Amino acid sequence: SPTAYIHGYFSAAIHLAEQMVANRVPVDTVAYPALFLFRHAIELGFKVLLRGYSFELQSNPPLGEAGHSLAKLWNDLRPLLASDYGFESLDPGRPSKAVTLDDIDALVECLHAVDPNGEAARYGTYRGGQFTMPEVKRVNLEALLELCRQTEDWLASHIHCREELVAYVRMRRRERGEE
């Protein structure tokens, strides 16, 4: 299932970040794969949420237009989340820090700045030979680890809500003979 992939990418990113924080693996070789896994998990999560909304709203999600751009995906998804159930904040089981849509705004902005299309953390250089992330000199591993955990919880909570709603909508459509 798509959620298994999302959880898998987050779990792998968290595991790598934990190993880096504990100095068990060389940061120089593992930071970029961890960042790629984290970013890819978010991209998949956004796409799953957009598909859930498209089912409910009976429209096609604009996934093709966004490609791998987190900024474009978030631009399509954020208004739906903001209007849905009045969620501006959803506590993902970490009472000390509820993740808000503004937090996700900042996260997407940061990730988009260093990796706008999902290639920079995946490849060291572009086809022309220039480095993909020459401005990135340091990665705050503990912050990356906490962001991974919080974002996974946040996405999982929203995906679960969407899945429950989609199941309900399907049931109601079947009852009305629409499906």
Side-chain angles (χ1 to χ4, degrees), residues 14-165:
I14 289 168
H15 176 74
L16 288 177
E18 287 171 342
Q19 297 306 306
M20 288 185 288
V21 168
N23 291 317
R24 293 191 189 121
V25 295
V27 173
D28 294 351
T29 59
V30 182
Y32 297 111
L35 182 60
F36 168 76
L37 293 166
F38 176 51
R39 189 203 173 285
H40 195 61
I42 294 169
E43 178 185 331
L44 292 177
F46 284 0
K47 288 178 176 180
V48 165
L49 285 170
L50 281 168
R51 284 187 188 104
Y53 278 105
S54 70
F55 175 83
E56 176 193 352
L57 301 172
Q58 296 185 321
S59 65
N60 292 323
L63 301 179
E65 299 164 19
H68 300 287
S69 169
L70 290 182
K72 289 179 182 175
L73 289 166
W74 183 239
N75 189 50
D76 292 334
L77 180 60
R78 193 192 199 287
L80 298 169
L81 288 168
S83 66
D84 196 14
Y85 309 109
F87 284 156
E88 258 307 310
S89 173
L90 179 67
D91 184 346
R94 295 183 192 281
S96 61
K97 175 68 172 110
V99 176
T100 67
L101 296 181
D102 291 339
D103 293 333
I104 303 299
D105 286 340
L107 174 63
V108 168
E109 184 179 324
C110 179
L111 288 173
H112 186 76
V114 296
D115 193 355
N117 60 8
E119 292 183 0
R122 197 164 96 182
Y123 304 110
T125 58
Y126 291 110
R127 289 184 184 156
Q130 60 275 51
F131 291 109
T132 55
M133 291 192 281
E135 68 284 352
V136 176
K137 305 293 183 210
R138 291 197 166 107
V139 176
N140 183 331
L141 300 175
E142 291 172 349
L144 176 64
L145 179 57
E146 188 56 25
L147 273 173
C148 283
R149 289 179 175 144
Q150 289 178 348
T151 307
E152 180 182 23
D153 289 345
W154 183 87
L155 268 172
S157 296
H158 280 286
I159 289 170
H160 176 73
C161 288
R162 292 268 36 101
E163 288 172 342
E164 290 292 316
L165 192 56

